[in-house]
Amino acid sequence: MAASGRGLRKAVAASPFPAWRRAHTEAGGGLKPEYDAVVIGAGKVVKAAYLQRLGVNTAVFERRHVIGGAAVTEEIIPGFKFSRASYLLSLLRPQIYTDLELKKHGLRLHLRNPYSFTPMLEEGAGSKVPRSLLLGTDMAENQKQIAQFSRKDAQVFPRYEEFMHRLALAIDPLLDAAPVDMAAFQRGSLLQRMRSFSTLKPLLKAGRILGAQLPRYYEVLTAPITKVLDQWFESEPLKATLATDAVIGAMTSPHTPGSGYVLLHHVMGGLEGMQGAWGYVQGGMGALSDAIASSATTHGASIFTEKTVAKVQVNSEGCVQGVVLEDGTEVRSKVVLSNTSPQITFLKLTPQEWLPEEFLERISQLDTRSPVTKINVAVDRLPSFLAAPNAPRGQPLPHHQCSIHLNCEDTLLLHQAFEDAMDGLPSHRPIIELCIPSSLDPTLAPSGCHVVSLFTQYTPYTLAGGKAWDEQERDAYADRVFDCIEVYAPGFKDSVVGRDILTPPDLERIFGLPGGNIFHCAMSLDQLYFARPVPLHSGYRCPLQGLYLCGSGAHPGGGVMGAAGRNAAHVAFRDLKSM
């Protein structure tokens, strides 16, 4: 069995010569000494695609052999193509699809319906099949499913969905604009202050949408998600299923104040006009990154892999003038956009003498804790759940396309899993979100076989007593996860062909995610909007003129959204025009 950590051979990109590479090569894509703009890191090159379309000659430098950041497809086990880190799509801003013509560049999606499956473990059920909760786009069917556990909850559920939909509509305008420029209001010229008034428009629009219900919505954003859900529902399977979206990817408990925003962050997306929908990308998440890159290179952008940026160059007047690569090559540019984390951007790549001391201290104090261990599994058959046994011929059933929630029947289980991590221990009963993208996209695995994505938590970055993760600890945790799955789906362990285990330190080392955090820093209220990444430095521009932050550590955060890159590109373009 192939087990990840450091022993795995170098994973290969699933598509060794995608369209963007051909376009770049055909355009004579050699490295030039100067560009208008340089982008550090090729995680979803949205910013490069927009800049190039605006006539800004742009080069992207990527440390790894494959582009996409966490949105990659890699063939870790021969014949099995994994979305190795990010694994689902929903939050990508709708205008990015159309502006960058992603379908024209090969993007194909598989929408999931149903989308959520929570099987129960019910002792004493005798020969009865245990219950499960299956949710999809059919509200009447959802109500039937919920009524198994509570008729009252079934009646209330449509009102809850409408309530959350309204909040998502209010937040939506804030995602596509820079936060209110408080520095311009305080210290800017009269012209700058007048211009900054336009940044108030999304806030005012949000207020109009929420209206008199604003205090209730404020509670959703600031209260523990358990408090919010207790006001709506009584059945634990429903509350726990909904609460998973409030803690996924976050080192928080459902009892943590502010966990409601993380839930909102995961329900405010959509696909092809369907609000809140999540889906799989044909060919894995790397196919999305390839489509964006193809759009960028078709318009003339240059993308270079295995080219690590070592330093941001600054001239004697304190303005950015380009970058220096690890091999010593100097590349000049008028602006530099960093897609890496705030910590790498400001504490490693930027000369410290050009940044304010207080700013650097704030960056060093960012909360980057991550609970996530991602396990990619190759199996020779679909898992057969006690609550939903497989079809006789083993073909995928509707629940196989869902996010399958295990150890999630009760919010207390979620909290207990969190408490284990607070003691420096991997969760005794980890929260498991199990997805099988090959149930809708058979191109990902050999015939009859499947790829399984296990997004699990909670696992601390450093174990109790200061112990680091080693191969033995990785395997022991993965075995524990597999034991949990076996209880719900007997025979799962026997179906495993190979696995790839990525603990928080592995996610940091491979993908550059600080602390293994998929959002670059926590999506807590003290690190959002005005304060992302830090207060008074939240609008993509950095204290160093010509340097911009455009990754998940900038507003509005991560989740394969593209908003930070799009917004930062427009801010940089406006500044370039005034140079």
Side-chain angles (χ1 to χ4, degrees):
M1 179 186 294
S4 167
R6 303 172 193 276
L8 259 185
R9 64 179 176 79
K10 178 179 177 180
V12 296
S15 178
F17 204 69
W20 69 264
R21 285 195 188 274
R22 291 195 296 273
H24 187 204
T25 303
E26 289 164 5
L31 180 60
K32 298 172 185 174
E34 186 169 353
Y35 297 86
D36 295 329
V38 160
V39 177
I40 304 173
K44 303 178 300 299
V45 292
V46 168
K47 65 288 301 175
Y50 274 98
L51 285 170
Q52 196 68 43
R53 282 170 172 264
L54 291 166
V56 179
N57 190 20
T58 304
V60 182
F61 296 104
E62 167 57 40
R63 171 180 60 90
R64 295 192 72 211
H65 63 288
V66 59
I67 68 163
V72 293
T73 303
E74 296 185 73
E75 190 173 335
I76 306 161
I77 297 158
F80 294 84
K81 299 171 185 176
F82 295 95
S83 293
R84 197 176 183 195
S86 302
Y87 57 104
L88 284 169
L89 186 65
S90 174
L91 297 174
L92 189 71
R93 304 303 295 151
Q95 56 270 53
I96 293 176
Y97 289 99
T98 51
D99 291 349
L100 303 187
E101 303 175 289
L102 296 186
K103 285 193 174 181
K104 173 184 170 184
H105 290 280
L107 181 65
R108 300 291 180 269
L109 304 178
H110 295 280
L111 273 66
R112 308 185 307 166
N113 185 32
Y115 54 77
S116 175
F117 176 63
T118 306
M120 304 291 115
L121 289 178
E122 295 182 313
E123 296 181 7
S127 60
K128 288 184 179 180
V129 173
R131 290 177 298 173
S132 62
L133 178 62
L134 186 69
L135 300 176
T137 58
D138 186 327
M139 182 56 73
E141 188 58 37
N142 288 343
Q143 290 178 288
K144 286 181 184 177
Q145 288 282 319
I146 295 168
Q148 298 177 90
F149 308 98
S150 167
R151 291 183 179 179
K152 172 182 171 290
D153 288 359
Q155 292 175 339
V156 169
F157 189 67
R159 295 207 305 274
Y160 167 81
E161 288 280 279
E162 179 56 35
F163 179 82
M164 295 302 293
H165 176 65
R166 191 177 186 85
L167 182 53
L169 282 179
I171 297 293
D172 194 71
L174 302 179
L175 307 179
D176 298 317
V180 173
D181 191 345
M182 299 303 296
F185 274 120
Q186 291 177 326
R187 301 185 297 272
S189 65
L190 179 61
L191 180 60
Q192 286 175 320
R193 291 183 185 188
M194 291 178 66
R195 285 177 176 169
S196 64
F197 274 110
S198 65
T199 63
L200 287 171
K201 289 181 181 178
L203 275 177
L204 296 173
K205 185 175 181 181
R208 285 197 303 270
I209 292 172
L210 299 181
Q213 292 292 310
L214 181 59
R216 287 194 69 196
Y217 286 111
Y218 176 79
E219 183 180 40
V220 172
L221 298 180
T222 58
I225 194 59
T226 47
K227 178 182 178 182
V228 175
L229 293 174
D230 283 347
Q231 292 172 355
W232 287 92
F233 306 116
E234 62 185 11
S235 61
E236 279 299 324
L238 177 60
K239 288 191 289 185
T241 296
L242 297 174
T244 58
D245 276 337
V247 299
I248 193 163
M251 187 62 88
T252 58
S253 159
H255 298 306
T256 303
S259 50
Y261 178 78
V262 181
L263 179 144
L264 176 67
H265 188 79
H266 286 97
V267 302
M268 62 190 179
L271 289 176
E272 299 189 348
M274 188 177 296
Q275 177 71 30
W278 288 76
Y280 299 121
V281 178
Q282 174 90 14
M285 291 297 285
L288 168 66
S289 300
D290 287 343
I292 297 171
S294 176
S295 178
T297 55
T298 296
H299 285 81
S302 300
I303 302 175
F304 302 95
T305 55
E306 297 182 283
K307 293 283 187 185
T308 302
V309 171
K311 186 174 72 171
V312 174
Q313 278 196 308
V314 184
N315 65 23
S316 59
E317 296 175 352
C319 297
V320 164
Q321 64 177 23
V323 298
V324 180
L325 303 182
E326 202 171 55
D327 62 8
T329 303
E330 296 185 9
V331 182
R332 288 185 168 271
S333 65
K334 297 172 185 174
V335 296
V336 172
L337 292 86
S338 179
N339 201 35
T340 62
S341 69
Q343 297 86 337
I344 292 174
T345 301
F346 302 119
L347 302 181
K348 293 185 178 181
L349 299 181
T350 306
Q352 305 288 278
E353 62 269 22
W354 294 108
L355 295 172
E357 203 169 300
E358 182 185 357
F359 174 79
L360 291 172
E361 187 175 355
R362 287 268 197 170
I363 293 295
S364 69
Q365 294 171 349
L366 287 173
D367 179 5
T368 61
R369 292 174 302 159
S370 168
V372 173
T373 288
K374 175 80 188 297
I375 308 175
N376 300 298
V377 189
V379 296
D380 62 15
R381 58 188 179 274
L382 285 167
S384 183
F385 295 92
L386 292 173
N390 280 2
R393 294 197 301 274
Q395 69 269 30
L397 296 174
H399 67 276
H400 285 120
Q401 66 187 266
C402 296
S403 289
I404 300 171
H405 306 286
L406 305 181
N407 292 336
C408 298
E409 300 100 306
D410 192 305
T411 51
L412 179 60
L413 290 175
L414 277 60
H415 180 65
Q416 289 172 338
F418 167 78
E419 286 189 317
D420 288 342
M422 290 297 95
D423 292 333
L425 304 171
S427 299
H428 176 67
R429 284 188 66 181
I431 299 172
I432 303 168
E433 181 171 291
L434 184 155
C435 291
I436 313 171
S438 51
S439 64
L440 292 179
D441 178 9
T443 68
L444 299 174
S447 179
C449 297
H450 289 274
V451 294
V452 175
S453 166
L454 303 176
F455 198 80
T456 76
Q457 56 190 81
Y458 298 78
T459 49
Y461 184 92
T462 303
L463 300 171
K467 185 177 181 181
W469 287 88
D470 57 22
E471 207 67 37
Q472 183 178 354
E473 292 287 349
R474 282 190 194 88
D475 283 333
Y477 176 72
D479 289 344
R480 182 182 305 175
V481 170
F482 283 22
D483 286 342
C484 288
I485 299 172
E486 186 76 13
V487 176
Y488 289 91
F492 174 78
K493 291 196 290 188
D494 287 341
S495 72
V496 174
V497 175
R499 67 190 189 186
D500 170 43
I501 309 162
L502 300 172
T503 64
D506 297 319
L507 292 168
E508 181 177 67
R509 173 177 53 86
I510 296 169
F511 300 104
L513 301 173
N517 193 297
I518 60 174
F519 303 117
H520 285 188
C521 52
M523 297 288 288
S524 52
L525 292 177
D526 62 325
Q527 292 182 173
L528 290 174
Y529 197 61
F530 298 113
R532 194 166 188 89
V534 296
L536 298 181
H537 296 285
S538 58
Y540 311 109
R541 296 184 184 92
C542 304
L544 184 60
Q545 186 176 337
L547 179 62
Y548 303 81
L549 191 66
C550 61
S552 294
H555 169 75
V560 194
M561 186 181 287
R566 178 181 177 274
N567 297 348
H570 286 298
V571 170
F573 178 67
R574 287 196 295 270
D575 291 349
L576 280 168
K577 287 199 300 182
S578 64
M579 285 183 181

